[in-house]
């Protein structure tokens, strides 16, 4: 059975690239009727951030990437948190010491620093040559030591990666990495092998930064007599052709995009396409469709550039297809922060905005007109295209009030009507009577109601939004401002 895993370090942040790794591992497992496992790689306790595991779990949950085994839910291959598996690693490290595939190293920080200062690029195997007896004595004396992997001095290693094909590495380019640190904790270089094997991982899907160190891991699999997993290394997501999308850009995290008003699945859908080609033109895909179409063959060998504009476009498709209720519920927090306590029909505002926002945070800008009336600028009546003037507004304002008043429907029901026919007819007749174009009258009317050059919808929509009484109050106020 196919078993894949996502193995993040708890850094307090789920990078969009990490989310994509998780997604591909999840899709591949689901497509093949397998299991997707979450494993927390917390052996570097300096990097650990409180609450970081919860952040990862909650982010995966929001993204719809549900793991079958892992922290909290458990499973047959636990524990799924590496710091709880310390004894397991030590047991296998012991086995490697016995077979000569690893050795104890007592070198001090000072010695290592000096070695590097003299130009060494890797550890010089100094402690490999200590006698068994000396090693035992020094351990008995309580000297601190690490356990290093014993990499062959010469030769090459070739293995197959599903994306990159055959990968060959010269042993002389590999270092005798530390497997177990002096505090008894394993490094990634060791723990990933032990855990992938013991957890029955069949396909190892991870970042390309591990492509060239995989031969070291293969040596460990071989030394322990274990079968290697299938390797699938993924190219990074780039900010531009030169730079990876990084945390330093300030917005490379899944939660950052949620805060910006992207919908979780729109993000997932977009990043699925960053590095994988579905081989058809349909880019908008549900999780079920992604699962159905996902294939290792579609993974790209080249890296892809993150394009927020495209993600906005994809997001807008999902926003448009939300139910009115869902959109309104999602918009409410934005109204509460930016435009609370306005005397408007908020539900109707959502109706007006739904087709006009790409991401939910656009609401701030699209609804900015709500604050415009308080700083009314009569110069807005001047419109070059329509050839309207402030004087024209002055001349029309009484008729605008009358037209609004002619809308007989009960004030509270306006937003429910598809059309305010009384108002529309009155404005049309007004244009005719004055020998003006309808567009001129409509411009003046809408400006008079809102004081904003851009509004989601025209005068009719604004009257529905404010209600008749408020619309009349505004128009009378403008009349005073115009001195009409
Ligand atoms: N903990 C590693 C990381 O966060 C995981 C690498 C892997 O998937 O093997 O980069």
């Amino acid at each position: 059975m196919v078993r894949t895993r996502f193995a993040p370090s708890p850094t307090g942040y789920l990078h969009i690239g990490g989310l994509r790794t998780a997604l591909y591992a999840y899709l591949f497992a689901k497509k093949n009727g397998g299991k997707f496992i979450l494993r927390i790689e917390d052996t570097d306790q300096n990097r650990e951030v409180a609450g970081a595991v919860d952040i990862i779990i909650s982010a995966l949950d929001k993204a719809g990437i549900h793991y079958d085994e892992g922290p909290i839910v458990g499973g047959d291959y636990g524990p799924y948190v590496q710091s709880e598996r310390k004894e397991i690693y030590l047991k296998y490290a012991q086995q490697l010491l016995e077979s000569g595939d690893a050795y104890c190293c007592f070198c001090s920080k000072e010695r290592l620093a000096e070695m590097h200062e003299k130009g060494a690029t890797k550890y010089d195997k100094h402690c490999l040559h200590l006698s068994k007896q000396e090693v035992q004595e020094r351990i008995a004396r309580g000297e601190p030591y690490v356990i290093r992997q014993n990499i062959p001095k010469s030769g090459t290693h070739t293995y197959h990666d599903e994306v990159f094909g055959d990968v060959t590495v010269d042993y002389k380019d590999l270092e005798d990495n530390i497997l177990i640190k002096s505090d008894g904790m394993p490094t990634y270089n060791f723990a990933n092998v032990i855990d992938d094997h013991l957890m029955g991982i069949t396909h190892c899907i991870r970042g390309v930064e591990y492509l060239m160190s995989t031969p070291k891991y293969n040596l460990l699999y071989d030394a322990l007599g274990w079968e290697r997993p299938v390797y699938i290394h993924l190219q990074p997501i780039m900010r531009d052709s030169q730079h990876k999308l990084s945390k330093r850009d300030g917005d490379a995290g899944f939660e950052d995009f949620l805060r910006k008003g992207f919908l979780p699945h729109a993000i997932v859908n977009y990043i699925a396409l960053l590095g994988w080609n579905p081989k058809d033109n349909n880019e908008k895909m549900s999780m079920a469709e992604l699962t159905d179409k996902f294939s290792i063959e579609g993974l790209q060998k080249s890296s892809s550039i993150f394009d927020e504009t495209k993600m906005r476009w994809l997001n807008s498709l999902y926003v448009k297809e939300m139910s009115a209720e869902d959109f309104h519920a999602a918009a409410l927090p934005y109204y509460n922060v930016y435009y609370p306590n306005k005397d408007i029909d908020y539900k109707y505002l959502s109706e007006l905005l739904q087709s006009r926002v790409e991401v939910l945070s656009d609401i701030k800008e699209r609804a900015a007109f709500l604050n415009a009336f308080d700083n009314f600028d009569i110069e807005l009546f001047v419109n070059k295209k329509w050839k309207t003037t402030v004087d024209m507004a002055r001349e029309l304002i009484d008729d605008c009030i009358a037209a609004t008043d002619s809308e007989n429907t009960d004030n509270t029901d306006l937003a429910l009507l598809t059309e305010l026919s009384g108002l529309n007819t009155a404005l049309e007749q007004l244009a005719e009577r004055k020998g003006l174009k309808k567009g001129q009258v409509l411009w003046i009317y809408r400006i008079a109601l809102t004081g904003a050059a851009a509004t989601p919808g025209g005068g009719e929509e604004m009257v529905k939004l404010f209600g008749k009484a408020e619309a009349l109050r505004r128009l009378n106020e403008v009349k005073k401002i115009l001195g009409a």
Side-chain angles (χ1 to χ4, degrees):
M1 186 208 277
V2 166
R3 288 173 60 86
T4 63
R5 88 296 194 279
F6 176 48
S9 304
T11 54
Y13 173 84
L14 184 53
H15 186 277
I16 210 85
L19 183 71
R20 190 195 56 175
T21 305
L23 175 67
Y24 289 170
Y26 169 81
L27 293 176
F28 185 70
K30 295 296 128 180
K31 164 129 199 174
N32 293 288
K35 295 262 189 268
F36 172 64
I37 289 106
L38 174 65
R39 179 171 78 225
I40 302 297
E41 302 209 325
D42 61 345
T43 56
D44 187 356
Q45 305 217 313
N46 294 328
R47 283 175 65 200
E48 198 164 334
V49 178
V53 175
D54 294 338
I55 291 175
I56 292 166
I57 291 177
S58 128
L60 290 177
D61 188 51
K62 285 181 202 159
I65 301 174
H66 303 299
Y67 58 90
D68 300 297
E69 296 169 27
I72 302 177
V73 303
D76 293 342
Y77 300 80
Y80 295 91
V81 176
Q82 286 186 332
S83 58
E84 294 168 21
R85 300 170 62 80
K86 205 170 156 183
E87 299 312 315
I88 302 175
Y89 308 118
L90 290 174
K91 176 178 142 202
Y92 291 104
Q94 196 56 43
Q95 195 176 322
L96 293 171
L97 285 174
E98 278 155 27
S99 64
D101 293 290
Y103 58 96
C104 296
C105 169
F106 299 88
C107 287
S108 63
K109 273 200 189 94
E110 291 71 26
R111 180 177 184 273
L112 295 177
E114 199 186 312
M115 220 180 68
H116 284 295
E117 258 163 47
K118 285 185 182 152
T121 51
K122 55 179 200 170
Y123 182 63
D124 59 1
K125 288 184 181 276
H126 177 80
C127 291
L128 176 63
H129 310 293
L130 300 178
S131 70
K132 250 199 175 137
Q133 196 187 345
E134 181 175 353
V135 169
Q136 269 162 11
E137 280 168 12
R138 291 173 78 166
I139 293 176
R141 275 206 301 271
E143 259 190 64
Y145 68 99
V146 299
I147 299 177
R148 287 186 186 270
Q149 183 174 0
N150 183 16
I151 307 269
K153 276 193 178 144
S154 59
T156 60
H157 180 112
T158 300
Y159 77 98
H160 185 75
D161 178 89
E162 292 297 309
V163 176
F164 292 87
D166 285 346
V167 179
T168 300
V169 173
D170 211 317
Y171 283 135
K172 70 175 169 11
D173 294 331
L174 300 177
E175 184 170 20
D176 283 3
N177 274 132
I178 296 173
L179 302 179
I180 302 282
K181 295 179 278 190
S182 56
D183 63 1
M185 274 291 189
T187 57
Y188 170 79
N189 290 320
F190 191 43
N192 90 85
V193 171
I194 304 302
D195 288 346
D196 280 350
H197 172 75
L198 294 181
M199 293 181 183
I201 302 303
T202 56
H203 295 72
C204 173
I205 304 178
R206 65 183 166 205
V208 74
E209 59 270 31
Y210 300 102
L211 186 73
M212 301 315 262
S213 44
T214 294
K216 290 189 286 199
Y217 313 145
N218 286 337
L219 289 174
L220 295 174
Y221 281 103
D222 298 351
L224 293 164
W226 294 343
E227 197 183 328
R228 304 171 190 173
V230 174
Y231 291 111
I232 299 150
H233 286 98
L234 306 172
Q235 282 284 19
I237 299 176
M238 307 292 284
R239 169 159 56 89
D240 54 43
S241 60
Q242 307 295 326
H243 306 93
K244 277 196 214 174
L245 186 70
S246 83
K247 195 176 171 181
R248 261 161 287 143
D249 300 328
D251 55 3
F254 178 59
E255 302 274 350
D256 294 326
F257 289 109
L258 293 180
R259 266 193 295 278
K260 279 193 187 180
F262 285 91
L263 299 170
H265 185 68
I267 303 172
V268 168
N269 187 164
Y270 177 65
I271 61 163
L273 303 168
L274 277 180
W276 167 66
N277 185 348
K279 303 217 159 67
D280 63 24
N281 292 326
N282 187 15
E283 294 186 302
K284 181 168 169 286
M285 283 172 275
S286 66
M287 200 58 120
E289 285 166 317
L290 287 172
T291 307
D292 184 47
K293 288 190 191 165
F294 187 77
S295 75
I296 299 296
E297 295 72 47
L299 289 175
Q300 291 161 20
K301 214 171 168 173
S302 57
S303 54
S304 13
I305 296 180
F306 186 80
D307 177 357
E308 192 164 329
T309 310
K310 182 157 183 196
M311 188 160 88
R312 285 179 67 93
W313 163 77
L314 203 50
N315 198 73
S316 75
L317 303 183
Y318 285 101
V319 168
K320 284 197 185 77
E321 76 182 20
M322 286 169 98
S323 70
E325 287 71 33
D326 286 351
F327 179 80
H328 185 56
L332 271 178
Y334 292 87
Y335 302 152
N336 288 338
V337 170
Y338 297 113
Y339 307 105
N341 308 319
K342 297 276 178 198
D343 191 10
I344 55 166
D345 182 336
Y346 279 101
K347 264 213 148 127
Y348 184 64
L349 177 63
S350 292
E351 238 175 79
L352 293 179
L353 291 178
Q354 186 164 3
S355 61
R356 292 175 167 91
V357 302
E358 288 190 313
V359 301
L360 291 164
S361 57
D362 289 348
I363 286 174
K364 183 181 176 199
E365 198 190 314
R366 295 278 177 276
F369 76 97
L370 288 172
N371 286 339
F373 193 82
D374 297 336
N375 305 300
F376 206 99
D377 173 11
I378 58 170
E379 287 308 312
L380 283 175
F381 284 118
V382 182
N383 180 300
K384 284 209 183 101
K385 179 182 156 216
W386 289 111
K387 299 198 173 56
T388 52
T389 62
V390 178
D391 279 342
M392 213 180 261
R394 219 168 260 132
E395 194 192 325
L396 292 183
I397 191 73
D398 274 329
D399 294 304
C400 288
I401 293 170
T404 310
D405 213 14
S406 74
E407 186 58 60
N408 297 328
T409 324
D410 183 338
N411 190 23
T412 53
D413 293 347
L414 292 188
L416 298 176
L417 298 177
T418 42
E419 198 197 354
L420 301 187
S421 51
L423 173 70
N424 284 332
T425 315
L427 291 175
E428 247 165 57
Q429 287 170 353
L430 173 61
E432 254 170 54
R433 212 167 51 242
K434 299 277 182 184
L436 294 170
K437 290 196 182 94
K438 197 177 163 196
Q440 293 178 299
V441 171
L442 292 182
W443 177 265
I444 286 178
Y445 186 65
R446 190 174 57 84
I447 297 295
L449 276 173
T450 60
T455 53
E460 179 181 20
E461 283 82 10
M462 294 300 108
V463 173
K464 287 187 187 178
L465 181 69
F466 299 130
K468 185 169 158 183
E470 169 65 7
L472 285 170
R473 186 192 71 76
R474 287 175 168 232
L475 295 171
N476 279 301
E477 181 84 9
V478 172
K479 182 178 167 180
K480 273 190 243 151
I481 295 171
L482 285 167

